[in-house]
Amino acid sequence: MRCLAPRPAGSYLSEPQGSGSCATMELGPLEGRYLELLNSDVDPLHLYHFYDQIDLAAEEEIELCSEPYTDTINCEQFSRLLCDIEGDEETREAYANIAELDQYVFQDSQLEGLSRDIFIEHMGSDDVIGENTEVPAEAAQERQKRPFPDECPADPKHRRLVPPTGSSLNCLNLPAGSIQLVPTLPALPQWLWQISGAGTGVSSVFIYHGKLPPASQASPPRGPAVHSLPRSPERPGSTSPFAPSAAELPTMPEPALTSRTNETEDSVLPTRCQEAPEVSKWPEPVQQLCRSLQDKFQAEPAGPDGIQVEVDLVRAQLERNGSKIQDRELATLDWAERQLARGGLAEVLAAGNPRRPRETQIIAVLGRAGQGKSHWAQAVGRAWACGQLPQYDFVFHVPCRCLDRPGNDFRLCDLLVSSSPPALAADDEVFGHILRRPERVLLILDAFEEVEAQDSLLHGGAGSPGPTEPCSLRELLAGLFQRRLLRGCTLLLTARPRGRLGQSLSKADALYEMTGFSAEQAHAYVVQYFERCGAPEHRERALALLQDRPFLLSHSHSPTVCRAACQLAQALLERGCEARLPCTLTGLYVDLLGPVASDSPPGALVALARLAWELGRRHQSSLQESQFPSAELRTWAVASGLVQPAPGATETELAFSSFLLQCFLGALWLALSSEIKNKELPQYLALTPRKKRPYDNWLEGVPRFLTGLIFQPRARCLGALVGPEAAAVVDRKQKVLARYLKRLQPGTLRARRLLELLHCAHEAEEAGIWQHVVRELPTRLSFLGTRLTPADTHMLARALEAAGRDFSLDLRSTGVDPCGLGSLVGLSRVSSFRANLSDTVGLWESLQQRGETKLLRAAEEKFTLEPFRAQSLKDVEELGHLVRTQRVRRASADEAGGLPAVRDLKKLEFALGPTLGPQAFPKLVKILTAFCSLQHLDLDSLSENKIGDEGVAQLSATLPQLKALETLNLSQNSITDLGACTLAEALPALAGSLLRLSLYNNCICDAGAESLAHVLPRMAALRVLDVQYNKFTAAGAQQLAASLRKCPHVETLAMWTPTIPFGVQEHLQQLDSRISLR
């Protein structure tokens, strides 16, 4: 049993120094600044550690004692104190001082007896310590030594008790007789009793048995709430105003984050892995909200909407886009660099770096339109409702299409109302419960790209609106992103990586990319679709129809296109006629909408197309019922499935069934509208950049659909949708677009626009346009840094085969999948290609395992590294792996020539910088001898590789085997005389091949210059020697000049250096004009 004894009643003044009694302080009005309190006589142990144990969850506090002389603290005093803390510029310094005090007290052995928050270990009649107990001198000396961690016994039963000094709190001797339990508190916790005894001279004693329970496990008080101490700022589970938040003390020592030496941080501070609290103890409105959210998520959609196919999430990162440092876009990773989230939701939600308590975690899932991000976000809520995410009490799914509205009357509760019953989420008791436990809240912002106020969310003002204060939507989002509002929650975003969204996500804890379906996942989706539609007999036939159209099969990585293909296949198979899917996306949606348009009211499809276009220009995909021109149009659109209730929105809000459908309808409006001038139509293809009023192409599917609708045969395209008379208006537009497309020069377009042009030409199904595009393709096609989807790979392969000439492809940093890479490499019109080394080696190994010898040989012969630039340690390691692969294959297959990529490499650049350069260069030296055709070895870097004399020594040992080396650049590598002498000894091995040698900007002095001068006449093939910006003097320069006279084959000797007098340099140049001083 442990005891906390307050100061005897009536003793509120500090004792004179030297007395043996406890020096406690008076707690008068706490006014002024925070540092005044810090420098006062108030004992921080009494304030900090005693009140830190009381759980004030749900803002229901208890009055510590009702007796008139108990040490209590007025609530208003601490409220004023907290206000001073928030507005004080010296708060951080004050917090640091308190943290140092905490660390000193609770890690020093002299207070080991008080390490449990001034609670005494044992209490008995034989081992009582009086108020005036004297401390032996030996004990005083022993207390001044800080024990090592292994000297402190872990078992509390064996801990040595240190008699408290006169500066510690008083302990009392309880008189013999009965002890009276006086429950004077309104609601006393189960582990705490108040004891009063006659003759003790003490007003009250608090005793508890066993270990002090954590704040999160303390029983909440019962009875009426009594205003007392407020919770400490930004520290969960703590009621002490002296408890600094972890975010405000980034440099605080780790032990100072806890208030007990023998308890870990995890046992004191609540974490995301803690057990969920008992829901039964929540207020009834809170329980109702939780149940309503669970019921909402557990309601599984019927039919194809409920298909669950797990898609791959890949770790992503942002990179700079262009010259603007703030513009960032999703980086394109090679296939071998992908890091899949194989742990599912648990890995995604725990993906951020380990963070301090009450720190908001921001996780973003990005992906192109139609990849299933919203469907996945709803699956997160369903997983929580099924008990798979116990670390969260509430999950709020907020479709961002419902958020945009003008004005400054937006509140945090509006976000919750949009995804829950308004009466419950807006309730003050419910909202207060959520705000007190933000670390147990998961807030999902779905389709975040539809929020117009998404830019510069990390650069808002210093002020942040309160949880209940009205503000604009941008201020509300800025408070969430800057981790000021609902601090401690988990913020999960799903969005298309477009616009300035990258600026707001630059500080996200984790980024993931949703890449869509793989071939196996698309197959599983088709199987589940027909099973849920009640037509499993059509499953195999539908798969055969899809396999018969390679173009649609390549687009099946998009869940939206895969579902549209299933819908059309189902309709064709139910008719019983000879079924065949179309070969374009335009034909796919024309066949889907044709039957619907035939039963529509007059002009209904065109009116809906106009709505789709207008919403797309505003970056929106949802519309209100009032936006429909007529109720008849709305009824028809809903009944036909073109629009449907928006998930999570109000009943009056509708959304298009898919983003691609909205793009198709927008293109239909452009094709039929007389409001769009013919000469303005080419800008909507977004193929050529415009400096003035550029088209933002938010509806990114419009260019392909627009080309298909205008150029495909009218009878089976526009005529099937709106009738032949209405379709006649596109004749003039067709001529304008045809002239524009045939004037384009594909060789001048960037890679992304070139791919879009190929897709548009395919959708047009017009022979003249397709032939013009493939005929003008450049022979060297570089897609470096441009993402290649399976559909892009299929279209590129079709264009290369139709061109009728050989091409060289650069496929580095394209993210092309192994299947697509193999299909491109196997083309007869591809003479050479470059790709990521790991992806290429993986392709070779896959082909070898499958026994495709012919394709394997073609992939090896066409692969090239020329020129290879090593810019990271990964590049050097992959190059070494390629060399080892060559050696293994040559030894097993008895191939004397080796891999052509290694055998024919002529130029190798090494630019890793001063940090990684010295580490990676030894690995490069070990494989240099494998490049028997190497002619150019460039070890210069703008940031200086600094391989030093040691690196030069390693290189010199391999120079005799580099018989074809013509250029050796060792500039800016911190080479001294030692390295220059070592290099001079090895240079004669290259006397017949080396043409250029550069030692620019090194540390070579006269001794090194003399060594180079001696070897210079022996270098018969040398034409240029650059030794500028070194440290040799006039003596070294004269030796080089004298040696130059013996070398008529040398054309240039560049040796200007600031250590040589200018007059000497001019004189040497006058003697030999081959000496360059530039």
Side-chain angles (χ1 to χ4, degrees):
M1 187 168 289
R2 306 178 186 181
C3 172
L4 170 62
R7 183 73 177 166
S11 179
Y12 289 92
L13 298 177
S14 58
E15 295 287 339
Q17 294 183 0
S19 65
S21 61
C22 174
T24 54
M25 296 81 181
E26 179 180 0
L27 293 176
L30 303 178
E31 299 178 354
R33 301 174 69 84
Y34 180 62
L35 286 180
E36 296 178 5
L37 176 65
L38 182 65
N39 296 326
S40 67
D41 293 333
V42 177
D43 186 359
L45 294 177
H46 185 65
L47 299 178
Y48 180 56
H49 294 288
F50 176 71
Y51 290 107
D52 199 35
Q53 309 308 321
I54 302 177
D55 184 11
L56 296 181
E59 293 187 353
E60 297 176 3
E61 295 117 350
I62 57 176
E63 185 180 355
L64 294 181
C65 185
S66 60
E67 297 187 10
Y69 295 106
T70 303
D71 290 352
T72 59
I73 302 175
N74 185 269
C75 175
E76 295 182 358
Q77 296 172 352
F78 275 98
S79 299
R80 290 196 300 269
L81 174 62
L82 292 178
C83 293
D84 293 338
I85 291 175
E86 294 178 357
D88 196 351
E89 296 180 355
E90 300 173 337
T91 300
R92 187 176 300 275
E93 180 181 356
Y95 275 168
N97 292 336
I98 287 294
E100 292 174 2
L101 177 62
D102 181 290
Q103 181 186 14
Y104 173 78
V105 169
F106 292 102
Q107 292 215 342
D108 204 320
S109 63
Q110 65 180 355
L111 293 173
E112 188 174 348
L114 301 177
S115 63
R116 284 283 182 172
D117 290 342
I118 61 179
F119 288 90
I120 301 177
E121 290 288 341
H122 299 283
M123 193 74 185
S125 57
D126 298 332
D127 300 322
V128 291
I129 303 173
E131 182 178 353
N132 299 319
T133 303
E134 295 183 3
V135 180
E138 296 82 5
Q141 295 177 2
E142 187 176 359
R143 285 195 303 269
Q144 296 177 2
K145 296 178 62 179
R146 181 181 297 273
F148 290 101
D150 55 357
E151 296 178 3
C152 299
D155 189 357
K157 296 181 180 180
H158 298 86
R159 295 186 58 184
R160 178 177 54 86
L161 287 174
V162 180
T165 64
S167 61
S168 58
L169 290 179
N170 289 330
C171 301
L172 58 126
N173 191 353
L174 294 178
S178 61
I179 298 177
Q180 181 182 4
L181 292 170
V182 184
T184 59
L185 299 180
L188 203 62
Q190 298 177 2
W191 45 269
L192 188 63
W193 302 278
Q194 183 179 6
I195 299 178
S196 297
T200 60
V202 181
S203 60
S204 60
V205 179
F206 293 97
I207 298 179
Y208 74 97
H209 181 271
K211 292 185 178 180
L212 183 67
S216 60
Q217 299 178 7
S219 300
R222 296 179 296 271
V226 181
H227 292 287
S228 182
L229 292 180
R231 186 177 298 271
S232 65
E234 305 304 333
R235 178 171 173 180
S238 172
T239 60
S240 171
F242 297 91
S245 66
E248 294 173 335
L249 288 176
T251 59
M252 186 170 65
E254 196 67 26
L257 293 177
T258 62
S259 59
R260 297 132 199 108
T261 56
N262 60 344
E263 286 185 319
T264 62
E265 183 179 358
D266 292 337
S267 65
V268 180
L269 299 177
T271 64
R272 297 193 169 273
C273 297
Q274 64 183 358
E275 295 182 358
E278 294 185 15
V279 180
S280 59
K281 297 183 179 180
W282 292 352
E284 182 60 27
V286 180
Q287 297 183 37
Q288 293 180 11
L289 174 62
C290 184
R291 287 193 297 267
S292 65
L293 290 174
Q294 291 175 349
D295 295 341
K296 171 187 173 183
F297 288 126
Q298 287 177 346
E300 183 176 345
D305 292 334
I307 297 178
Q308 298 292 331
V309 176
E310 185 176 356
V311 295
D312 294 332
L313 290 180
V314 182
R315 279 275 193 171
Q317 59 188 18
L318 298 175
E319 63 181 5
R320 289 182 55 185
N321 179 21
S323 59
K324 296 183 180 180
I325 190 171
Q326 293 183 349
D327 290 349
R328 296 177 179 269
E329 63 181 9
L330 205 60
T332 302
L333 302 177
D334 291 307
W335 190 264
E337 297 176 337
R338 304 188 337 147
Q339 300 180 15
L340 298 179
R342 303 188 182 277
L345 286 178
E347 179 179 343
V348 173
L349 297 178
N353 296 327
R355 56 197 176 96
R356 301 183 178 95
R358 297 297 295 269
E359 187 68 23
T360 300
Q361 187 176 25
I362 301 177
I363 303 172
V365 177
L366 308 177
R368 299 183 63 180
Q371 301 288 54
K373 301 182 297 296
S374 296
H375 194 77
W376 179 85
Q378 295 172 5
V380 174
R382 191 174 299 111
W384 168 76
C386 297
Q388 300 178 19
L389 300 175
Q391 66 268 37
Y392 299 112
D393 293 341
F394 301 98
V395 173
F396 298 101
H397 177 264
V398 181
C400 292
R401 63 175 65 92
C402 311
L403 297 182
D404 271 336
R405 75 183 189 198
N408 296 322
D409 58 344
F410 212 95
R411 294 176 174 85
L412 178 61
C413 62
D414 294 336
L415 287 177
L416 312 182
V417 169
S418 62
S419 61
S420 57
L424 293 178
D427 185 82
D428 292 340
E429 184 177 11
V430 175
F431 192 55
H433 181 90
I434 296 173
L435 292 181
R436 285 190 293 271
R437 295 168 176 82
E439 68 277 357
R440 301 192 62 82
V441 174
L442 173 60
L443 179 58
I444 304 176
L445 299 181
D446 191 15
F448 192 72
E449 74 277 357
E450 296 195 22
V451 179
E452 291 293 336
Q454 61 180 259
D455 57 323
S456 304
L457 294 180
L458 296 179
H459 309 288
S464 178
T468 59
E469 297 178 5
C471 61
S472 65
L473 176 62
R474 186 186 179 282
E475 292 175 339
L476 179 64
L477 294 176
L480 291 172
F481 274 82
Q482 297 175 17
R483 297 173 169 88
R484 298 176 179 177
L485 197 60
L486 202 60
R487 184 175 182 180
C489 71
T490 299
L491 189 62
L492 180 61
L493 308 177
T494 65
R496 294 162 57 192
R498 293 183 56 86
R500 298 183 178 180
L501 181 62
Q503 299 180 16
S504 301
L505 297 182
S506 59
K507 300 298 183 181
D509 296 278
L511 292 176
Y512 284 93
E513 181 183 5
M514 186 169 291
T515 57
F517 284 162
S518 63
E520 296 77 11
Q521 291 166 348
H523 183 277
Y525 182 89
V526 175
V527 172
Q528 292 189 37
Y529 177 89
F530 284 94
E531 289 179 352
R532 294 184 69 92
C533 290
E537 67 276 5
H538 295 325
R539 181 181 57 196
E540 299 300 329
R541 180 58 179 154
L543 289 172
L545 289 177
L546 193 58
Q547 292 288 342
D548 188 50
R549 291 299 188 186
F551 175 79
L552 288 182
L553 186 63
S554 67
H555 274 84
S556 63
H557 77 283
S558 169
T560 301
V561 179
C562 192
R563 176 171 180 172
C566 291
Q567 290 174 337
L568 182 57
Q570 181 185 12
L572 293 176
L573 293 174
E574 288 177 352
R575 295 174 192 171
C577 58
E578 184 65 24
R580 194 173 187 187
L581 294 176
C583 59
T584 63
L585 288 179
T586 305
L588 175 65
Y589 278 88
V590 167
D591 291 350
L592 279 175
L593 296 184
V596 175
S598 62
D599 299 333
S600 66
L605 185 61
V606 177
L608 187 62
R610 180 170 188 167
L611 278 177
W613 172 252
E614 292 176 350
L615 289 173
R617 294 303 302 267
R618 297 197 298 266
H619 296 185
Q620 296 176 357
S621 61
S622 61
L623 65 162
Q624 299 290 335
E625 290 186 355
S626 59
Q627 294 181 259
F628 285 94
S630 64
E632 184 182 16
L633 173 61
R634 181 189 62 80
T635 303
W636 168 78
V638 173
S640 59
L642 300 180
V643 296
Q644 56 190 13
T650 60
E651 296 181 356
T652 61
E653 190 162 7
L654 302 172
F656 291 96
S657 59
S658 70
F659 179 77
L660 274 183
L661 175 61
Q662 184 180 2
C663 292
F664 177 82
L665 293 175
L668 179 63
W669 167 252
L670 289 178
L672 299 176
S673 174
S674 59
E675 300 177 8
I676 306 297
K677 297 181 180 180
N678 295 334
K679 65 178 181 180
E680 297 177 354
L681 201 60
Q683 70 171 317
Y684 298 111
L685 297 184
L687 295 177
T688 52
R690 290 168 52 93
K691 295 183 180 179
K692 295 182 179 179
R693 300 177 63 185
Y695 173 57
D696 61 358
N697 197 26
W698 190 82
L699 294 173
E700 56 189 22
V702 163
R704 305 179 190 182
F705 286 129
L706 178 61
T707 309
L709 288 171
I710 289 181
F711 284 100
Q712 287 189 16
R714 188 180 307 169
R716 61 180 177 87
C717 189
L718 280 178
L721 295 176
V722 296
E725 295 181 0
V729 300
V730 303
D731 291 341
R732 179 59 182 168
K733 296 181 178 181
Q734 186 180 98
K735 295 178 181 180
V736 172
L737 280 186
R739 183 168 58 251
Y740 168 75
L741 291 174
K742 291 181 180 180
R743 288 180 178 178
L744 281 178
Q745 299 296 324
T748 62
L749 299 180
R750 294 184 178 180
R752 183 70 262 165
R753 290 194 172 99
L754 177 60
L755 291 171
E756 191 65 28
L757 175 60
L758 292 176
H759 282 286
C760 290
H762 171 78
E763 293 289 333
E765 290 188 336
E766 209 276 332
I769 296 177
W770 177 256
Q771 292 175 3
H772 166 75
V773 172
V774 299
R775 185 176 59 250
E776 297 297 327
L777 287 176
T779 57
R780 299 180 62 88
L781 290 172
S782 175
F783 298 95
L784 179 64
T786 302
R787 177 153 314 192
L788 290 180
T789 65
D792 295 332
T793 304
H794 171 80
M795 191 53 55
L796 179 61
R798 180 171 178 264
L800 296 180
E801 281 295 309
R805 61 184 186 278
D806 293 342
F807 292 90
S808 175
L809 302 180
D810 189 350
L811 304 176
R812 292 173 295 169
S813 300
T814 59
V816 59
D817 61 293
C819 181
L821 180 60
S823 64
L824 290 175
V825 169
L827 296 175
S828 59
R829 293 301 179 181
V830 175
S831 59
S832 63
F833 77 96
R834 291 197 66 179
N836 176 265
L837 292 179
S838 297
D839 292 349
T840 305
V841 173
L843 174 64
W844 292 344
E845 294 175 351
S846 176
L847 294 176
Q848 188 176 15
Q849 292 175 0
R850 296 200 301 263
E852 301 183 27
T853 308
K854 183 178 179 180
L855 184 56
L856 173 60
R857 186 173 297 276
E860 291 177 349
E861 292 177 353
K862 295 177 181 180
F863 180 62
T864 179
L865 292 173
E866 185 68 29
F868 186 82
R869 180 178 176 86
Q871 295 181 288
S872 65
L873 186 60
K874 170 179 168 290
D875 294 337
V876 178
E877 293 174 348
E878 289 183 347
L879 187 63
H881 182 51
L882 180 66
V883 171
R884 289 190 296 272
T885 301
Q886 172 192 253
R887 292 170 178 171
V888 171
R889 291 180 56 80
R890 185 166 55 185
S892 60
D894 196 19
E895 299 177 1
L899 293 174
V902 177
R903 181 189 61 210
D904 300 334
L905 180 64
K906 294 180 174 58
K907 184 175 181 179
L908 177 59
E909 299 180 26
F910 181 83
L912 268 71
T915 303
L916 295 178
Q919 302 176 19
F921 188 71
K923 300 180 180 179
L924 179 65
V925 171
K926 293 179 180 179
I927 61 175
L928 275 180
T929 56
F931 307 107
C932 56
S933 301
L934 188 63
Q935 297 178 356
H936 189 130
L937 180 58
D938 190 349
L939 303 180
D940 185 14
S941 173
L942 293 178
S943 57
E944 303 184 11
N945 289 315
K946 293 188 176 181
I947 64 173
D949 297 334
E950 182 179 356
V952 171
Q954 296 171 352
L955 176 64
S956 299
T958 63
L959 287 181
Q961 303 178 54
L962 302 178
K963 300 296 184 181
L965 191 62
E966 296 178 353
T967 300
L968 179 59
N969 189 351
L970 293 171
S971 301
Q972 305 187 103
N973 275 293
S974 302
I975 302 173
T976 65
D977 285 343
L978 179 61
C981 294
T982 305
L983 178 65
E985 296 176 357
L987 283 177
L990 302 177
S993 63
L994 192 63
L995 300 177
R996 290 167 291 274
L997 175 62
S998 177
L999 293 166
Y1000 172 88
N1001 195 18
N1002 281 289
C1003 304
I1004 301 175
C1005 298
D1006 290 338
E1010 181 180 0
S1011 300
L1012 294 174
H1014 286 322
V1015 76
L1016 192 59
R1018 302 171 58 183
M1019 306 299 297
L1022 191 64
R1023 296 295 181 267
V1024 178
L1025 176 62
D1026 188 353
V1027 290
Q1028 296 184 91
Y1029 288 93
N1030 278 277
K1031 297 184 178 181
F1032 53 83
T1033 62
Q1038 290 173 357
Q1039 292 184 9
L1040 286 171
S1043 178
L1044 180 63
R1045 290 193 290 269
K1046 304 176 184 178
C1047 306
H1049 53 276
V1050 177
E1051 299 174 356
T1052 302
L1053 174 59
M1055 67 172 187
W1056 187 92
T1057 180
T1059 56
I1060 304 176
F1062 185 72
V1064 174
Q1065 297 184 52
E1066 281 192 332
H1067 175 69
L1068 294 177
Q1069 187 181 32
Q1070 292 174 359
L1071 295 178
D1072 196 327
S1073 60
R1074 293 176 295 174
I1075 297 178
S1076 174
L1077 302 180
R1078 293 182 297 175

